[in-house]
Amino acid sequence: MTARGLYIPAIPTPNHLPPFTSKSPLFPPPFGHHHRFSATTLTRSSLTDQPQTLSAKSHLLTLISDQERGLNTQSNPQKLSQIIQAIDAVAELGRGTTTTDDSLSATWRMLWTTEKEQLYIIKNASVFGTKAGDVLQVIDVQNKTLNNVITFPPDGVFFVRSTIEIASSQRVNFRFTSAVLRGKNWELPLPPFGQG
């Protein structure tokens, strides 16, 4: 099964974002501004907010409200099926719209996912003496970048950089290029893996 995820805008974004470099602060400049993405990503403000669309979005948000970002869904196939059906219903209502233009450039907060690696990190954050904070995707369509970020308050972050390519009006392909795990006074580069 393809990994699925549900993201919402974290903060509005200006059109141009400075690049992230190894000299950037713990939260690079795009965090002052903001972005989104997922292996399959759905919640788009560009979908017309007609009553049917609002009802489908509300139903989906209700279904995931007690799922701890997807942790609880892993052991509940019935709930997973209901959520996937609700995601597909929202996607169907958005058929024919463009979701890969500059409006995709923003920081997006993950509400729910089936992506096993992200869920593993969220579940095991206690190894770092903390809980996982925000899980974000920072997308910059113009610069063809996507960054996945999992925060570990107060000072930690897992940061994965990717390049993106617009594949269609509703699909973005990505390829991981680097990864780093950071604490207050340390940094551990990790090999990037994956594309989709």
Side-chain angles (χ1 to χ4, degrees):
M1 178 173 87
T2 301
R4 300 282 187 108
L6 181 65
Y7 289 71
I8 61 167
I11 298 176
T13 307
N15 290 336
H16 178 69
L17 299 170
F20 178 79
T21 69
S22 61
K23 303 284 188 211
S24 297
L26 181 62
F27 297 104
F31 279 81
H33 306 158
H34 297 285
H35 297 37
R36 148 198 163 174
F37 172 83
S38 164
T40 301
T41 194
L42 294 181
T43 298
R44 295 291 304 138
S45 60
S46 63
L47 295 176
T48 55
D49 286 334
Q50 300 299 321
Q52 186 179 11
T53 303
L54 292 174
S55 176
K57 288 179 181 179
S58 177
H59 175 64
L60 176 56
L61 291 171
T62 298
L63 284 172
I64 67 167
S65 66
D66 64 349
Q67 294 303 297
E68 299 292 325
R69 297 190 262 198
L71 291 172
N72 294 344
T73 313
Q74 291 180 309
S75 61
N76 189 338
Q78 181 179 0
K79 187 71 156 197
L80 174 62
S81 178
Q82 291 172 338
I83 292 169
I84 295 300
Q85 287 174 8
I87 288 172
D88 290 344
V90 172
E92 182 61 32
L93 291 169
R95 184 180 296 242
T97 60
T98 298
T99 59
T100 56
D101 59 10
D102 285 340
S103 68
L104 184 59
S105 293
T107 291
W108 300 85
R109 179 174 291 119
M110 185 193 76
L111 299 181
W112 180 87
T113 190
T114 60
E115 210 282 316
K116 291 181 186 334
E117 288 81 7
Q118 282 185 334
L119 291 172
Y120 179 84
I121 292 169
I122 292 166
K123 182 179 180 180
N124 293 292
S126 61
V127 169
F128 302 105
T130 186
K131 289 193 228 178
D134 279 333
V135 179
L136 305 167
Q137 286 191 331
V138 183
I139 298 176
D140 186 336
V141 172
Q142 189 173 40
N143 289 317
K144 299 181 180 180
T145 61
L146 177 148
N147 297 314
N148 285 322
V149 182
I150 300 176
T151 63
F152 302 104
D155 300 309
V157 66
F158 179 59
F159 195 91
V160 181
R161 293 177 191 89
S162 307
T163 58
I164 60 171
E165 176 184 306
I166 304 302
S168 73
S169 64
Q170 293 192 337
R171 183 171 179 83
V172 175
N173 293 329
F174 67 93
R175 182 179 185 91
F176 295 131
T177 57
S178 66
V180 64
L181 181 61
R182 288 186 185 158
K184 185 172 184 173
N185 296 312
W186 56 273
E187 179 174 302
L188 176 64
L190 300 167
F193 58 93
Q195 61 186 23

